[in-house]
Amino acid sequence: FQPQIVLTFDPVGGYFHSDHIAIHRATTEAFRLAGDPCRYPEHLDQNLRPFQPQKLYYTAVSRRLLKIIVALMPLLGMDPTAFGRNKDVNLKRVAEAEQIITTSLDIRSYLHTRIKASACYRSQGSGRFLGPRWIQRWFFSKESYTRAVPPVNGEGKMPVESDFFE
């Protein structure tokens, strides 16, 4: 495979999940080494040439939105420090983690597929979501990422890509 882009978890694994953090580290290291012909010279004997993907992205979530959710949760009788199926996700801590969104993709045309796929992942609530469909469409209509490589340079408001291949 010679992918143009690589996607992985952000440095805090989304919500400080140790498996996600390990995947982030391994994927970031694999991306860094992908184009190095000295790293795995035995691959050259197998006719496998080094290939460096163009971009590396980390998953991202709007911290502003998370802070609003954290503020609203106690009003709904929910504890933002004990969220999730196992009550082991501290959304307050997640909301404080620094993150810049550089890429926002409109996935409305794939929303049904996204929700259906999420339903297969038991720890994601088996697809159950409290609230009307319009909230689901609003909340899940975009996927956000941070472009790590090449880094996005600039001051003030960051440019937002709407396509990985721009």
Side-chain angles (χ1 to χ4, degrees):
F1 296 108
Q2 294 184 340
Q4 290 176 282
I5 65 163
V6 174
L7 307 174
T8 191
F9 293 102
D10 67 329
V12 300
Y15 50 93
F16 297 93
H17 190 292
S18 60
D19 292 344
H20 297 178
I21 293 169
I23 291 167
H24 159 81
R25 289 178 180 156
T27 303
T28 300
E29 182 70 359
F31 179 90
R32 189 180 72 75
L33 297 173
D36 183 354
C38 298
R39 184 60 182 186
Y40 298 103
E42 66 275 14
H43 288 178
L44 297 174
D45 297 335
Q46 299 168 18
N47 228 10
L48 297 171
R49 302 285 171 230
F51 178 81
Q52 183 63 57
Q54 297 168 9
K55 297 179 182 180
L56 173 64
Y57 289 90
Y58 299 151
T59 55
V61 175
S62 167
R63 296 312 195 223
R64 182 181 307 152
L65 178 60
L66 266 179
K67 288 178 181 180
I68 291 169
I69 291 169
V70 165
L72 292 175
M73 287 179 75
L75 301 174
L76 301 171
M78 301 168 77
D79 181 359
T81 65
F83 186 72
R85 180 185 181 127
N86 298 322
K87 307 290 185 207
D88 59 348
V89 177
N90 184 336
L91 288 179
K92 277 187 172 182
R93 182 176 178 214
V94 173
E96 296 305 319
E98 187 176 328
Q99 191 173 60
I100 297 170
I101 294 175
T102 63
T103 308
S104 183
L105 306 179
D106 182 343
I107 64 159
R108 283 179 288 191
S109 58
Y110 304 101
L111 184 59
H112 177 72
T113 303
R114 181 198 192 278
I115 291 171
K116 195 173 170 182
S118 208
C120 296
Y121 192 44
R122 187 176 166 142
S123 68
Q124 297 299 312
S126 300
R128 288 178 276 125
F129 180 79
L130 300 175
R133 285 220 187 281
W134 69 269
I135 290 178
Q136 291 180 49
R137 284 191 301 271
W138 173 75
F139 190 76
F140 295 115
S141 68
K142 293 199 180 291
E143 289 282 339
S144 300
Y145 299 88
T146 300
R147 192 177 79 202
V149 177
V152 176
N153 297 318
E155 296 181 21
K157 185 176 171 146
M158 299 302 293
V160 176
E161 297 173 317
S162 59
D163 186 320
F164 286 131
F165 305 102
E166 285 181 349

